[in-house]
Amino acid sequence: MSDTLIGFVGDDYVLLAADATNAFSIILMKDDEDKIMKLDSHKLLAAGGENGDRVQFCEYIQKNLSLYRYRTGRALGTNAAAHYLRGELARFLRESPYQVNLLMAGHDEEDGPSLYFIDYMASMHKMKMAAHGYGSYFSLSILDRQWRKGMPSTKGSN
């Protein structure tokens, strides 16, 4: 999967970035693809993988989280939403697997900002910085050297 997803947690924010290309083999199909989806007012989902799998799985998660919110009158927290997402990806892994790598970011009142790394095999881990794809080989070394706990947003966006 040639998509690149990058994310890290700062003082009171989570920064997510994704490449905007949609390619098939060596052919560039589109160069303005949005790979970061808004799940609700406090959660974002960055996804990389085959275009059909990526779009279908992300929309499935987005609609089911909205359905939960409408049924119960309250939204899931970031931790609970990440566990739900991982469980659904694991269930589909046994039926009809989705080839998607995900970074889920959110901000909760009690827990503050959080970032979850989820790969196509449905393994999940809460991280302070994470990356997927070819760009991760380069970006993880930069994040490892430059990232600091409690980094203010002015320094994180540079």
Side-chain angles (χ1 to χ4, degrees):
M1 292 180 223
S2 63
D3 301 327
T4 298
L5 310 172
I6 302 167
F8 64 87
V9 177
D11 184 29
D12 59 349
Y13 67 96
V14 180
L15 189 131
L16 277 182
D19 73 310
T21 60
N22 182 4
F24 181 74
S25 184
I26 61 169
I27 301 169
L28 180 65
M29 307 296 262
K30 191 175 178 186
D31 64 356
D32 61 349
E33 183 77 18
D34 189 8
K35 296 179 183 174
I36 301 176
M37 176 177 276
K38 181 179 176 181
L39 296 177
D40 65 19
S41 63
H42 292 86
K43 287 183 265 317
L44 294 173
L45 181 62
E50 296 298 322
N51 193 43
D53 287 351
R54 178 176 48 81
V55 171
Q56 188 175 8
F57 184 73
C58 289
E59 286 181 354
Y60 172 80
I61 294 299
Q62 182 187 44
K63 302 308 179 204
N64 276 291
L65 289 177
S66 294
L67 178 64
Y68 179 84
R69 186 174 61 247
Y70 290 129
R71 282 184 175 170
T72 63
R74 58 178 289 183
L76 287 175
T78 306
N79 186 31
H83 280 85
Y84 169 74
L85 191 153
R86 193 212 76 72
E88 290 299 297
L89 193 56
R91 184 175 65 83
F92 281 117
L93 187 60
R94 292 167 184 83
E95 296 172 8
S96 55
Y98 286 107
Q99 297 294 315
V100 292
N101 290 315
L102 307 161
L103 292 179
M104 183 175 171
H107 191 283
D108 296 323
E109 292 284 329
E110 307 85 36
D111 301 329
S114 55
L115 175 69
Y116 291 88
F117 176 94
I118 306 160
D119 70 1
Y120 72 101
M121 295 297 286
S123 63
M124 180 182 79
H125 191 70
K126 186 175 181 180
M127 309 285 283
K128 294 296 181 188
M129 58 183 166
H132 277 294
Y134 286 135
S136 67
Y137 300 124
F138 179 71
S139 61
L140 283 174
S141 63
I142 294 172
L143 286 171
D144 190 44
R145 184 173 178 91
Q146 300 295 326
W147 181 84
R148 299 290 179 257
K149 185 174 181 169
M151 188 182 325
S153 59
T154 54
K155 187 171 182 183
S157 62
N158 293 333

